[in-house]
Amino acid sequence: HSNLPKKRLWTIFMIIFFIYYLGFRIFYAPEIIIFVVLITSCFYLYNIGHRFHVVSSLWQYLPPTLNAVPGKWTNNEIIALVECIRLLHAELSELIRLFSRAYGPVLLMYYVLTFLHAVYETIFLVIFKDGNLAVSVVPLIFYVNHIFNMVSILFIATWVIEKKSNIITHLRSMRISEIPAETKLQVKLFMNQISLYEQKELTAFGLFNLNLRLITSMSVLLIMVLSTMIQMKNHPIFNLLHNLLGVQFKINP
C-alpha cells in the first residue's frame, strides 16, 4: 500500500501527458510512432528506476559495518542479503543494457533528427524573421513540442541513473577493513560487478548518454548555430535560400 501514492502520481502523469499530446496534435501533424516510443520508454525506465530504488532501500536494513548484531542479524543473513542485492543489481543493469540496445537506435535517430530539424527551423526563422505571423509561430510550436518530448525521456533516464548511483554510494561508503572476512568476499564481488556495469549506462546506441546534460549540449550547439545564422544573414547564400524557400512556401521576400 505504500506504493499506491507513487502509482497514482505516475497514472496522473500519464493521463496529463496523453491529454497534452492529443491536444497538441490538433495544431500539429500527428506523430503516432514518436508518441508510442515516448510512452513505452518512460514506462520502461520508470519501472527500472523504481526497482533500483527498492534495491537501494534494502541497504537501510543492514548494519552500518555489515557486522553481525546479536538478536537481529547473523553473518549468514547479512551475506545472503548482500548477495541478493548484488544479483538484483546485475539483473537491473542488464535491463538497462537491453533498453539501450533496443531503444538506443530509435532514440539516437530521434534526437539527431530533432536537432537537425531545430537547426532547419532556426534558419527558417532567421531568414523569414520579417515574414508573416504563421512563419514565425511554426518554429516555436516545434520547439515547445520536442523540448517537452526530449526532456520527458531524459528526466526519467537521469532519475534512473541517480537511483542506480545510490546503490554504488552505499557500497563505496563501506570500510573494507571493518567488514568480516565472510562478507568481504561478497562486497568485493559487488565492486567488481559495479566496475563492469558502470560504463553501461543509458545510452543512445553508445554514442552519448541519455541524461539532462544532453539538453545543455544541444542548447549550446543550437545557440552557436543561431548566432552564426544571425551573423551571416546578409550572406549571398542566405539571400539565395530566402528566394528559394520564399518560392517553395509562397512567402513574400
Side-chain angles (χ1 to χ4, degrees), residues 67-176:
N67 287 300
V69 178
K72 292 184 178 180
W73 287 97
T74 64
N75 284 331
N76 291 334
E77 290 175 341
I78 293 174
I79 293 172
L81 184 54
V82 172
E83 183 180 11
C84 179
I85 295 174
R86 179 178 66 83
L87 295 176
L88 289 173
H89 175 271
E91 291 183 6
L92 293 175
S93 298
E94 279 296 318
L95 289 178
I96 288 181
R97 184 183 65 84
L98 291 175
F99 176 85
S100 297
R101 292 184 62 182
Y103 278 80
V106 178
L107 294 177
L108 173 63
M109 295 302 298
Y110 173 69
Y111 281 103
V112 170
L113 293 178
T114 298
F115 178 76
L116 294 177
H117 194 178
V119 172
Y120 168 77
E121 294 289 357
T122 302
I123 296 174
F124 196 82
L125 181 62
V126 171
I127 293 177
F128 296 107
K129 64 183 182 66
D130 296 326
N132 56 44
L133 180 62
V135 173
S136 302
V137 169
V138 167
L140 298 179
I141 295 177
F142 168 81
Y143 289 141
V144 172
N145 180 33
H146 287 279
I147 286 175
F148 180 85
N149 294 343
M150 290 189 294
V151 171
S152 299
I153 296 179
L154 297 179
F155 178 80
I156 296 181
T158 303
W159 174 72
V160 172
I161 297 303
E162 288 178 355
K163 294 301 179 182
K164 180 182 177 183
S165 300
N166 289 340
I167 301 176
I168 301 174
T169 301
H170 286 304
L171 185 63
R172 290 178 175 171
S173 64
M174 299 289 177
R175 295 184 178 181
I176 300 295

Side-chain angles (χ1 to χ4, degrees), residues 171-221:
L171 185 63
R172 290 178 175 171
S173 64
M174 299 289 177
R175 295 184 178 181
I176 300 295
S177 59
E178 299 179 0
I179 299 176
E182 298 84 357
T183 313
K184 190 178 297 184
L185 176 61
Q186 284 295 329
V187 173
K188 288 183 177 180
L189 289 174
F190 205 163
M191 288 184 173
N192 292 333
Q193 176 179 297
I194 286 176
S195 62
L196 177 64
Y197 284 108
E198 199 166 14
Q199 301 300 324
K200 297 180 180 179
E201 293 190 350
L202 291 167
T203 63
F205 207 52
L207 294 183
F208 50 81
N209 292 333
L210 295 175
N211 52 49
L212 289 175
R213 284 178 291 184
L214 181 61
I215 291 293
T216 304
S217 301
M218 295 179 68
S219 300
V220 170
L221 288 175

